Amino acid sequence: STSASASDASSAAAWTVGDYARTGVALGLAVATAGVCESALNDLFVWSLCKRRAMPAIETHPRLRRSLGEPLRADAWWNASVTHRGRGNLASCVFLLDGSRASCDVQVVMARAPSRSEGIYAFASCAAPNLARNVASPEAWRVVRMEAILPHEREAGLPGRVNLLQEPEP
């Protein structure tokens, strides 16, 4: 009876190839899910940052108010487009701006200052997920370009571009 209990303990502790495969697949799916969630939350954070930086310029711009009508309202985040380049240090966000008469697209391009860390900290800043870096230092982002594409403002129904970083003309 002691030999039967010893063989039961050894068979319970021994993993088969199938056990390793199932564990590997489960870990792979967990890592992939975490990566997708991090990316989606990072896009939401970047969209929010773009919108916060753009709205003061949008709300005080007389040409936008005249063309679109008031009140001006940014559309929901799920209708926006966020793209990243250069290891996540360049972000472009396009969102819809609604007015009482018309709507237009607003594009905000932001650049994040490269990390100035040295040694092991330089590796950590490159290895850290973009979401963690963005939440820790949103002030590292600066607006490079901010423009609105107004519908039917020019002749022949062509859209007009408004640079929101320049002072508005009266």
Side-chain angles (χ1 to χ4, degrees), residues 21-41:
R22 278 190 294 278
T23 301
V25 168
L27 288 175
L29 286 173
V31 168
T33 301
V36 168
C37 288
E38 189 273 337
S39 178
L41 289 173

Side-chain angles (χ1 to χ4, degrees), residues 2 5 19 26 31-32 44 48 50 61 83 85-86 104-105 107 112 123 126 130-131 134 146 149-151:
T2 56
S5 65
D19 293 334
V31 168
L44 178 61
S48 174
C50 286
H61 205 284
T83 58
R85 292 190 183 136
C104 76
D105 285 336
Q107 181 181 29
R112 180 173 51 201
F123 172 74
C126 289
N130 275 326
L131 178 62
N134 290 338
M146 186 176 357
I149 297 98
L150 297 176

